[in-house]
Coordinates of all heavy atoms in Angstrom, one line a residue:
M779 N 114.9 123.8 84.0 CA 114.5 125.0 83.4 C 114.7 124.9 81.9 O 115.7 124.3 81.4 CB 115.4 126.2 83.9 CG 115.2 126.5 85.3 SD 113.6 127.2 85.7 CE 113.9 128.9 85.6
L780 N 113.9 125.5 81.1 CA 114.0 125.5 79.7 C 114.3 127.0 79.3 O 113.7 127.9 79.8 CB 112.7 125.1 79.0 CG 112.2 123.7 79.3 CD1 110.8 123.5 78.6 CD2 113.2 122.7 78.8
C781 N 115.3 127.1 78.4 CA 115.8 128.5 78.1 C 115.4 128.8 76.6 O 115.5 127.9 75.8 CB 117.3 128.6 78.2 SG 117.8 128.4 79.9
S782 N 114.9 130.0 76.4 CA 114.6 130.4 75.0 C 115.1 131.8 74.8 O 114.5 132.8 75.0 CB 113.0 130.4 74.9 OG 112.4 131.2 75.8
G783 N 116.4 131.8 74.5 CA 117.0 133.1 74.3 C 117.3 133.8 75.6 O 118.1 133.5 76.4
T784 N 116.5 134.9 75.9 CA 116.7 135.7 77.0 C 115.8 135.3 78.2 O 116.0 135.8 79.3 CB 116.4 137.2 76.7 OG1 115.0 137.3 76.3 CG2 117.3 137.7 75.6
S785 N 114.9 134.4 78.1 CA 114.0 134.0 79.2 C 114.1 132.6 79.5 O 114.5 131.8 78.7 CB 112.5 134.4 78.8 OG 112.1 133.7 77.7
A786 N 113.8 132.2 80.7 CA 113.9 130.9 81.2 C 112.6 130.6 81.9 O 112.1 131.4 82.6 CB 115.1 130.6 82.1
R787 N 112.0 129.4 81.7 CA 110.8 129.0 82.4 C 111.0 127.6 82.9 O 111.7 126.8 82.4 CB 109.7 128.9 81.4 CG 109.3 130.3 80.9 CD 108.1 130.2 80.0 NE 107.0 129.4 80.6 CZ 105.8 129.6 80.6 NH1 105.3 130.7 80.0 NH2 104.9 128.8 81.2
A788 N 110.3 127.3 84.0 CA 110.3 125.9 84.5 C 109.6 125.0 83.6 O 108.6 125.4 82.9 CB 109.6 125.9 85.9
E789 N 110.1 123.7 83.5 CA 109.4 122.8 82.6 C 108.0 122.5 83.1 O 107.8 122.3 84.3 CB 110.2 121.5 82.6 CG 109.8 120.5 81.6 CD 110.7 119.3 81.4 OE1 111.9 119.5 81.8 OE2 110.3 118.3 80.9
L790 N 107.1 122.4 82.2 CA 105.7 122.2 82.5 C 105.4 120.7 82.7 O 106.0 119.8 82.0 CB 104.8 122.7 81.4 CG 104.8 124.2 81.1 CD1 104.0 124.5 79.8 CD2 104.3 124.9 82.3
P791 N 104.5 120.3 83.6 CA 104.1 118.9 83.8 C 103.4 118.4 82.6 O 102.7 119.1 81.8 CB 103.2 119.0 85.0 CG 103.3 120.3 85.6 CD 103.8 121.2 84.5
S792 N 103.6 117.1 82.3 CA 103.0 116.4 81.2 C 101.5 116.6 81.1 O 100.9 116.8 80.1 CB 103.3 114.9 81.2 OG 104.7 114.8 81.0
E793 N 100.8 116.6 82.3 CA 99.4 116.8 82.4 C 99.0 118.2 81.8 O 97.9 118.3 81.2 CB 98.9 116.6 83.8 CG 99.1 115.3 84.4 CD 100.5 115.0 84.9 OE1 101.3 116.0 85.2 OE2 101.0 113.9 85.0
V794 N 99.7 119.2 82.1 CA 99.4 120.5 81.6 C 99.7 120.6 80.1 O 98.8 121.1 79.3 CB 100.3 121.6 82.3 CG1 100.1 123.0 81.7 CG2 100.0 121.6 83.8
I795 N 100.8 120.0 79.6 CA 101.1 120.0 78.2 C 100.0 119.3 77.4 O 99.6 119.8 76.3 CB 102.5 119.4 77.9 CG1 103.6 120.3 78.5 CG2 102.7 119.2 76.4 CD1 104.9 119.7 78.5
A796 N 99.5 118.2 77.9 CA 98.4 117.5 77.3 C 97.2 118.3 77.0 O 96.5 118.2 76.0 CB 98.1 116.2 78.1
T797 N 96.9 119.3 77.9 CA 95.7 120.2 77.6 C 96.0 121.2 76.5 O 95.1 121.8 76.0 CB 95.4 120.9 78.9 OG1 96.4 121.9 79.3 CG2 95.1 120.0 80.1
Y798 N 97.2 121.4 76.1 CA 97.6 122.3 75.1 C 97.4 121.7 73.7 O 97.5 122.4 72.7 CB 99.0 122.8 75.2 CG 99.4 123.6 76.5 CD1 100.7 123.9 76.7 CD2 98.4 124.0 77.3 CE1 101.0 124.7 77.9 CE2 98.7 124.7 78.5 CZ 100.0 125.0 78.7 OH 100.3 125.8 79.8
V799 N 97.3 120.4 73.6 CA 97.3 119.7 72.3 C 95.9 119.8 71.7 O 94.9 119.7 72.4 CB 97.8 118.3 72.5 CG1 97.6 117.5 71.2 CG2 99.2 118.2 73.0
G800 N 95.8 120.0 70.4 CA 94.6 119.9 69.7 C 94.1 121.1 68.9 O 93.2 121.1 68.2
D801 N 94.9 122.2 69.1 CA 94.5 123.5 68.5 C 95.6 123.9 67.5 O 95.6 125.1 67.1 CB 94.2 124.6 69.5 CG 93.0 124.2 70.4 OD1 92.0 123.7 69.8 OD2 93.1 124.5 71.6
G802 N 96.5 123.1 67.1 CA 97.5 123.4 66.2 C 98.8 123.9 66.8 O 98.8 124.3 68.0
A803 N 99.9 123.8 66.1 CA 101.2 124.2 66.6 C 101.3 125.7 67.1 O 101.9 125.9 68.1 CB 102.3 123.9 65.6
P804 N 100.7 126.6 66.4 CA 100.8 128.0 66.8 C 100.2 128.2 68.2 O 100.8 128.8 69.1 CB 100.0 128.8 65.8 CG 100.2 128.0 64.5 CD 100.1 126.6 65.0
M805 N 99.1 127.6 68.5 CA 98.4 127.7 69.8 C 99.2 126.9 70.8 O 99.3 127.4 72.0 CB 97.0 127.3 69.7 CG 96.2 127.6 71.0 SD 96.2 129.4 71.5 CE 95.1 130.0 70.3
L806 N 99.7 125.8 70.5 CA 100.5 125.0 71.4 C 101.7 125.8 71.9 O 102.0 125.9 73.1 CB 101.0 123.7 70.7 CG 102.0 122.9 71.5 CD1 101.4 122.2 72.7 CD2 102.6 121.8 70.6
V807 N 102.4 126.4 71.0 CA 103.6 127.2 71.3 C 103.2 128.4 72.2 O 103.8 128.7 73.2 CB 104.4 127.6 70.1 CG1 105.5 128.6 70.4 CG2 105.0 126.4 69.4
R808 N 102.2 129.1 71.8 CA 101.7 130.3 72.5 C 101.4 129.9 73.9 O 101.8 130.5 74.9 CB 100.5 130.9 71.8 CG 99.9 132.1 72.6 CD 98.8 132.7 71.8 NE 99.2 133.4 70.6 CZ 99.9 134.5 70.5 NH1 100.2 135.1 71.6 NH2 100.2 135.0 69.4
R809 N 100.6 128.8 74.1 CA 100.2 128.4 75.5 C 101.4 128.0 76.3 O 101.5 128.3 77.5 CB 99.2 127.2 75.4 CG 97.9 127.6 74.9 CD 97.0 126.4 74.7 NE 95.7 126.8 74.3 CZ 94.8 126.0 73.7 NH1 95.2 124.8 73.4 NH2 93.6 126.4 73.4
A810 N 102.4 127.3 75.7 CA 103.6 126.8 76.4 C 104.4 128.0 76.8 O 105.1 127.9 77.9 CB 104.4 125.9 75.5
L811 N 104.3 129.1 76.1 CA 105.1 130.3 76.5 C 104.3 131.2 77.5 O 104.9 132.2 77.9 CB 105.4 131.1 75.2 CG 106.4 130.4 74.3 CD1 106.5 131.3 73.0 CD2 107.7 130.2 74.9
G812 N 103.1 130.8 77.8 CA 102.4 131.6 78.8 C 101.6 132.7 78.1 O 101.3 133.7 78.7
D813 N 101.3 132.6 76.8 CA 100.5 133.5 76.0 C 101.1 135.0 76.1 O 100.4 135.9 76.5 CB 99.0 133.6 76.5 CG 98.1 134.2 75.5 OD1 98.5 134.3 74.3 OD2 96.9 134.5 75.9
P814 N 102.3 135.1 75.6 CA 103.0 136.4 75.7 C 102.4 137.4 74.6 O 101.8 136.9 73.6 CB 104.4 136.1 75.3 CG 104.4 134.8 74.5 CD 103.2 134.1 75.1
E815 N 102.5 138.6 74.9 CA 102.0 139.6 73.9 C 103.0 139.9 72.8 O 102.6 140.5 71.8 CB 101.7 140.9 74.7 CG 100.5 140.8 75.7 CD 100.2 142.0 76.4 OE1 100.6 143.1 75.9 OE2 99.5 142.0 77.4
D816 N 104.2 139.5 73.0 CA 105.3 139.8 72.0 C 105.1 138.8 70.8 O 105.6 137.7 70.8 CB 106.6 139.6 72.6 CG 107.8 140.0 71.7 OD1 107.6 140.1 70.4 OD2 108.9 140.2 72.2
E817 N 104.4 139.3 69.7 CA 104.2 138.4 68.6 C 105.4 138.0 67.9 O 105.5 136.8 67.3 CB 103.2 139.1 67.6 CG 101.8 139.3 68.2 CD 101.1 138.0 68.5 OE1 101.3 137.0 67.8 OE2 100.4 138.0 69.5
K818 N 106.4 138.8 67.8 CA 107.7 138.4 67.2 C 108.3 137.2 67.9 O 108.8 136.3 67.3 CB 108.7 139.6 67.1 CG 109.9 139.3 66.4 CD 110.9 140.5 66.4 CE 112.2 140.0 65.7 NZ 113.2 141.0 65.9
F819 N 108.3 137.3 69.3 CA 108.8 136.2 70.1 C 108.1 134.9 69.8 O 108.7 133.9 69.7 CB 108.8 136.6 71.6 CG 109.2 135.5 72.5 CD1 110.5 135.1 72.5 CD2 108.3 135.0 73.4 CE1 110.9 134.1 73.4 CE2 108.7 134.0 74.3 CZ 110.0 133.5 74.2
V820 N 106.7 135.0 69.8 CA 105.9 133.8 69.5 C 106.2 133.2 68.2 O 106.4 132.0 68.0 CB 104.4 134.2 69.7 CG1 103.5 133.0 69.3 CG2 104.0 134.6 71.1
Q821 N 106.4 134.1 67.2 CA 106.7 133.6 65.8 C 108.1 132.9 65.8 O 108.2 131.9 65.1 CB 106.6 134.7 64.8 CG 106.7 134.2 63.4 CD 105.6 133.2 63.0 OE1 104.5 133.5 63.2 NE2 106.0 132.1 62.4
E822 N 109.0 133.5 66.4 CA 110.4 132.9 66.5 C 110.3 131.6 67.2 O 111.0 130.6 66.7 CB 111.4 133.9 67.2 CG 111.7 135.1 66.4 CD 112.5 136.1 67.1 OE1 112.8 135.9 68.4 OE2 112.9 137.1 66.5
A823 N 109.6 131.5 68.3 CA 109.5 130.2 69.0 C 108.7 129.2 68.2 O 109.1 128.0 68.2 CB 108.7 130.5 70.3
L824 N 107.7 129.6 67.4 CA 107.0 128.7 66.5 C 107.9 128.2 65.5 O 107.9 126.9 65.2 CB 105.8 129.4 65.9 CG 105.0 128.5 64.9 CD1 104.4 127.3 65.5 CD2 103.9 129.4 64.3
N825 N 108.7 129.0 64.9 CA 109.7 128.6 63.8 C 110.7 127.6 64.4 O 111.0 126.6 63.7 CB 110.4 129.8 63.2 CG 109.5 130.7 62.4 OD1 108.4 130.3 62.0 ND2 109.9 131.9 62.2
Y826 N 111.2 127.9 65.6 CA 112.1 126.9 66.2 C 111.4 125.6 66.5 O 112.0 124.5 66.2 CB 112.6 127.5 67.5 CG 113.5 126.6 68.3 CD1 114.8 126.5 68.0 CD2 113.0 125.7 69.3 CE1 115.7 125.6 68.7 CE2 113.8 124.9 69.9 CZ 115.1 124.8 69.6 OH 116.0 123.9 70.3
F827 N 110.2 125.6 67.0 CA 109.5 124.4 67.3 C 109.2 123.6 66.1 O 109.5 122.4 66.1 CB 108.1 124.7 68.0 CG 107.2 123.5 68.1 CD1 107.4 122.7 69.2 CD2 106.2 123.3 67.2 CE1 106.5 121.5 69.3 CE2 105.4 122.2 67.3 CZ 105.5 121.3 68.4
L828 N 108.8 124.2 65.0 CA 108.5 123.5 63.7 C 109.8 122.9 63.1 O 109.7 121.7 62.7 CB 107.8 124.4 62.7 CG 106.4 124.8 63.1 CD1 105.9 125.9 62.1 CD2 105.5 123.6 63.3
A829 N 110.9 123.6 63.2 CA 112.1 123.1 62.7 C 112.6 121.9 63.5 O 113.0 120.8 63.0 CB 113.2 124.1 62.7
Y830 N 112.5 122.0 64.8 CA 112.9 120.9 65.7 C 112.0 119.7 65.5 O 112.4 118.6 65.4 CB 112.8 121.3 67.2 CG 113.3 120.3 68.1 CD1 114.6 120.2 68.5 CD2 112.4 119.3 68.6 CE1 115.0 119.1 69.3 CE2 112.8 118.3 69.5 CZ 114.1 118.2 69.8 OH 114.5 117.2 70.7
Y831 N 110.7 119.9 65.4 CA 109.7 118.9 65.2 C 109.9 118.1 63.9 O 109.8 116.9 63.8 CB 108.3 119.4 65.3 CG 107.2 118.4 65.2 CD1 106.9 117.6 66.3 CD2 106.5 118.2 64.0 CE1 105.9 116.7 66.2 CE2 105.5 117.2 64.0 CZ 105.2 116.5 65.1 OH 104.2 115.5 65.0
R832 N 110.2 118.9 62.9 CA 110.5 118.3 61.6 C 111.6 117.3 61.6 O 111.6 116.2 61.0 CB 110.8 119.4 60.6 CG 110.8 119.0 59.1 CD 111.0 120.2 58.2 NE 109.9 121.2 58.4 CZ 110.1 122.5 58.9 NH1 111.3 122.9 59.1 NH2 109.1 123.3 59.1
E833 N 112.6 117.6 62.4 CA 113.8 116.7 62.5 C 113.6 115.5 63.6 O 114.2 114.5 63.5 CB 115.0 117.5 62.9 CG 115.5 118.5 61.8 CD 115.9 117.7 60.6 OE1 116.6 116.7 60.7 OE2 115.6 118.2 59.5
H834 N 112.7 115.7 64.5 CA 112.7 114.8 65.7 C 111.3 114.2 65.9 O 111.2 113.5 67.0 CB 113.2 115.5 66.9 CG 114.6 116.0 66.8 ND1 115.6 115.2 67.0 CD2 115.1 117.2 66.6 CE1 116.8 115.9 66.8 NE2 116.4 117.1 66.6
K835 N 110.3 114.4 65.1 CA 109.0 113.9 65.4 C 108.8 112.4 65.6 O 107.9 111.9 66.2 CB 108.0 114.4 64.3 CG 108.2 113.8 63.0 CD 107.2 114.4 62.0 CE 107.6 114.2 60.6 NZ 108.2 115.4 60.0
L836 N 109.8 111.6 65.0 CA 109.7 110.2 65.1 C 110.7 109.6 66.1 O 110.8 108.4 66.3 CB 109.9 109.5 63.8 CG 108.8 109.9 62.7 CD1 109.2 109.3 61.4 CD2 107.4 109.6 63.1
D837 N 111.4 110.4 66.9 CA 112.4 110.0 67.8 C 111.9 109.0 68.9 O 112.5 108.1 69.2 CB 113.1 111.1 68.5 CG 114.0 111.9 67.6 OD1 114.1 111.6 66.4 OD2 114.6 112.9 68.0
N838 N 110.7 109.3 69.4 CA 110.1 108.5 70.4 C 108.9 107.7 70.0 O 108.1 107.3 70.9 CB 109.9 109.3 71.7 CG 111.1 109.9 72.2 OD1 112.0 109.1 72.6 ND2 111.3 111.2 72.3
T839 N 108.6 107.6 68.7 CA 107.5 106.9 68.2 C 107.7 105.4 68.2 O 108.7 104.9 67.9 CB 107.2 107.4 66.8 OG1 107.0 108.8 66.8 CG2 106.0 106.7 66.2
R840 N 106.7 104.7 68.7 CA 106.7 103.2 68.6 C 105.4 102.7 68.3 O 104.4 103.4 68.4 CB 107.2 102.7 70.0 CG 106.2 102.9 71.1 CD 106.7 102.3 72.4 NE 105.7 102.4 73.5 CZ 104.7 101.7 73.7 NH1 104.4 100.7 72.9 NH2 103.9 101.9 74.7
L841 N 105.4 101.5 67.8 CA 104.1 100.8 67.4 C 103.3 100.4 68.7 O 103.9 100.1 69.7 CB 104.4 99.5 66.6 CG 105.1 99.8 65.3 CD1 105.5 98.4 64.7 CD2 104.1 100.5 64.4
Y842 N 102.0 100.4 68.6 CA 101.2 100.0 69.7 C 101.4 98.5 69.9 O 101.7 97.7 69.0 CB 99.7 100.2 69.4 CG 99.3 101.6 69.3 CD1 99.1 102.3 68.1 CD2 99.2 102.4 70.5 CE1 98.7 103.6 68.1 CE2 98.9 103.7 70.5 CZ 98.6 104.3 69.3 OH 98.3 105.6 69.2
D843 N 101.4 98.1 71.2 CA 101.6 96.7 71.5 C 100.6 95.7 70.8 O 100.9 94.6 70.5 CB 101.5 96.5 73.0 CG 102.6 97.2 73.7 OD1 103.7 97.4 73.1 OD2 102.5 97.5 74.9
A844 N 99.4 96.2 70.6 CA 98.3 95.4 70.0 C 98.3 95.4 68.5 O 97.4 94.9 67.9 CB 96.9 95.9 70.5
R845 N 99.3 96.0 67.9 CA 99.4 96.1 66.4 C 99.2 94.8 65.7 O 98.4 94.7 64.8 CB 100.7 96.8 66.0 CG 100.8 96.9 64.5 CD 102.2 97.4 64.1 NE 103.3 96.6 64.8 CZ 103.8 95.5 64.4 NH1 103.4 94.9 63.3 NH2 104.8 94.9 65.1
P846 N 99.9 93.7 66.0 CA 99.8 92.5 65.3 C 98.3 91.9 65.4 O 97.8 91.5 64.4 CB 100.7 91.5 66.0 CG 101.8 92.4 66.6 CD 101.0 93.6 67.0
R847 N 97.7 92.0 66.5 CA 96.4 91.6 66.7 C 95.4 92.4 65.9 O 94.5 91.9 65.3 CB 96.0 91.6 68.2 CG 95.1 90.5 68.7 CD 94.9 90.5 70.2 NE 94.8 91.8 70.8 CZ 95.7 92.2 71.7 NH1 96.8 91.5 72.1 NH2 95.6 93.4 72.3
A848 N 95.6 93.7 65.9 CA 94.7 94.6 65.2 C 94.8 94.4 63.7 O 93.8 94.3 62.9 CB 95.0 96.1 65.5
L849 N 96.0 94.2 63.1 CA 96.2 93.9 61.7 C 95.6 92.6 61.3 O 95.0 92.5 60.2 CB 97.7 94.0 61.3 CG 98.3 95.4 61.4 CD1 99.8 95.3 61.2 CD2 97.7 96.4 60.4
A850 N 95.8 91.6 62.1 CA 95.2 90.3 61.8 C 93.7 90.4 61.8 O 93.0 89.8 60.9 CB 95.6 89.3 62.9
S851 N 93.1 91.2 62.7 CA 91.6 91.4 62.7 C 91.2 92.1 61.4 O 90.2 91.7 60.8 CB 91.2 92.2 63.9 OG 89.9 92.4 63.9
I852 N 91.9 93.1 61.0 CA 91.6 93.8 59.8 C 91.7 92.9 58.6 O 90.8 92.9 57.7 CB 92.5 95.1 59.6 CG1 92.2 96.1 60.7 CG2 92.4 95.7 58.2 CD1 93.1 97.2 60.8
R853 N 92.7 92.1 58.5 CA 92.9 91.2 57.4 C 91.7 90.2 57.3 O 91.3 89.8 56.2 CB 94.2 90.4 57.5 CG 95.4 91.1 57.0 CD 96.6 90.2 57.0 NE 97.7 90.9 57.3 CZ 98.4 90.9 58.4 NH1 98.1 90.1 59.4 NH2 99.5 91.7 58.6
Q854 N 91.1 89.8 58.4 CA 90.0 88.8 58.4 C 88.7 89.5 58.0 O 87.8 88.8 57.6 CB 89.9 88.2 59.7 CG 91.1 87.2 60.0 CD 91.1 86.7 61.5 OE1 90.2 87.0 62.2 NE2 92.1 85.9 61.8
S855 N 88.6 90.8 58.2 CA 87.4 91.5 57.9 C 87.3 91.9 56.4 O 88.2 92.3 55.8 CB 87.4 92.8 58.7 OG 86.3 93.6 58.3
R856 N 86.1 91.6 55.9 CA 85.9 92.0 54.4 C 85.9 93.5 54.3 O 86.2 94.0 53.2 CB 84.6 91.4 53.9 CG 84.6 90.0 53.8 CD 83.3 89.5 53.2 NE 83.4 88.1 52.9 CZ 82.5 87.4 52.3 NH1 81.4 88.0 51.8 NH2 82.6 86.1 52.1
N857 N 85.4 94.2 55.3 CA 85.3 95.7 55.2 C 86.5 96.4 55.8 O 86.5 97.6 55.8 CB 84.0 96.1 55.9 CG 82.8 95.6 55.3 OD1 82.7 95.5 54.1 ND2 81.8 95.2 56.1
G858 N 87.5 95.7 56.2 CA 88.7 96.4 56.8 C 89.4 97.2 55.8 O 89.6 96.8 54.7
Q859 N 89.9 98.4 56.2 CA 90.6 99.3 55.4 C 91.8 99.8 56.2 O 91.7 100.1 57.4 CB 89.8 100.4 54.9 CG 88.8 100.1 53.9 CD 88.1 101.3 53.4 OE1 87.9 102.3 54.1 NE2 87.7 101.3 52.1
L860 N 92.9 100.0 55.5 CA 94.1 100.6 56.1 C 94.2 101.9 55.3 O 94.2 101.9 54.1 CB 95.3 99.8 56.0 CG 95.3 98.6 56.9 CD1 96.6 97.8 56.6 CD2 95.3 98.9 58.4
R861 N 94.5 103.0 56.0 CA 94.7 104.3 55.3 C 96.2 104.7 55.5 O 96.7 104.5 56.6 CB 93.8 105.4 55.9 CG 92.3 105.1 55.6 CD 91.5 106.2 56.0 NE 92.0 107.4 55.2 CZ 91.2 108.3 54.8 NH1 90.0 108.3 55.0 NH2 91.7 109.3 54.1
K862 N 96.7 105.2 54.5 CA 98.1 105.7 54.6 C 98.0 107.2 54.4 O 97.5 107.7 53.5 CB 98.9 105.1 53.4 CG 100.3 105.5 53.5 CD 101.1 104.9 52.4 CE 102.6 105.4 52.4 NZ 103.3 105.0 51.3
W863 N 98.6 107.9 55.4 CA 98.7 109.3 55.4 C 99.7 109.7 54.4 O 100.6 109.0 54.0 CB 99.1 109.9 56.8 CG 98.1 109.6 57.8 CD1 98.1 108.7 58.8 CD2 96.8 110.3 58.0 NE1 97.0 108.8 59.6 CE2 96.2 109.7 59.1 CE3 96.2 111.3 57.3 CZ2 95.0 110.2 59.5 CZ3 95.0 111.7 57.7 CH2 94.4 111.2 58.8
P864 N 99.6 111.0 53.9 CA 100.6 111.5 52.9 C 102.0 111.4 53.6 O 102.1 111.6 54.8 CB 100.2 112.9 52.7 CG 98.7 113.0 53.0 CD 98.5 111.9 54.1
C865 N 103.0 111.2 52.8 CA 104.4 111.0 53.3 C 104.8 112.3 54.0 O 105.6 112.2 54.9 CB 105.3 110.8 52.1 SG 105.1 109.2 51.4
S866 N 104.3 113.5 53.7 CA 104.8 114.7 54.3 C 104.4 114.7 55.8 O 105.1 115.4 56.6 CB 104.1 115.9 53.7 OG 102.7 115.8 53.9
R867 N 103.5 113.8 56.3 CA 103.2 113.8 57.7 C 104.2 113.0 58.5 O 104.3 113.2 59.7 CB 101.8 113.2 57.9 CG 100.7 114.0 57.5 CD 99.5 113.7 58.2 NE 98.4 114.6 57.7 CZ 97.2 114.5 58.2 NH1 96.8 113.6 59.1 NH2 96.3 115.3 57.7
T868 N 105.0 112.1 57.9 CA 105.9 111.3 58.6 C 107.3 111.4 58.1 O 108.3 111.1 58.8 CB 105.5 109.8 58.5 OG1 105.4 109.4 57.1 CG2 104.2 109.5 59.2
N869 N 107.5 112.0 56.9 CA 108.9 112.1 56.4 C 109.3 113.6 56.6 O 108.5 114.5 56.4 CB 109.0 111.7 55.0 CG 108.7 110.3 54.8 OD1 109.0 109.5 55.7 ND2 108.3 109.9 53.6
P870 N 110.6 113.8 56.9 CA 111.1 115.2 57.0 C 111.0 115.9 55.7 O 110.9 115.4 54.6 CB 112.6 115.0 57.4 CG 112.9 113.6 57.5 CD 111.7 112.8 57.1

């Protein structure tokens, strides 16, 4: 069970959570909470989620197994480009 202040909910299966991804953090949190009507509760949950995510977003991040092969391929290609995202996406 996951607790959020006064309410508790059963943990959602990964397959369900995966369907919540893609519409931004506010919608992710809203869906995870079961689309409650209490906007203050949703905003508090969103603030909690964003603060937690800011501190822990890289905790379980790992490189793809094929990374060395992919980078070698890019180096050999004349048109290969690597893009670097702004630091704010990966740094707290």
Side-chain angles (χ1 to χ4, degrees):
M779 295 292 264
L780 300 177
C781 297
S782 56
T784 59
S785 62
R787 292 184 48 138
E789 189 170 338
L790 296 171
S792 297
E793 297 79 23
V794 172
I795 294 171
T797 67
Y798 294 174
V799 175
D801 295 321
M805 189 57 73
L806 171 71
V807 170
R808 177 176 293 285
R809 288 174 178 158
L811 295 173
D813 199 13
E815 293 182 19
D816 184 345
E817 292 300 323
K818 182 180 177 192
F819 176 65
V820 173
Q821 188 59 50
E822 289 172 355
L824 176 61
N825 292 342
Y826 176 85
F827 171 80
L828 293 174
Y830 183 89
Y831 184 77
R832 193 172 303 116
E833 293 296 320
H834 299 280
K835 65 182 164 257
L836 299 177
D837 288 359
N838 296 301
T839 300
R840 65 177 183 83
L841 295 173
Y842 291 106
D843 294 334
R845 177 190 48 87
R847 213 172 39 246
L849 291 174
S851 176
I852 291 169
R853 275 190 216 106
Q854 292 173 0
S855 169
R856 288 184 178 188
N857 296 323
Q859 289 185 329
L860 293 175
R861 294 190 59 148
K862 181 178 178 187
W863 293 105
C865 291
S866 62
R867 291 204 181 178
T868 56
N869 293 335

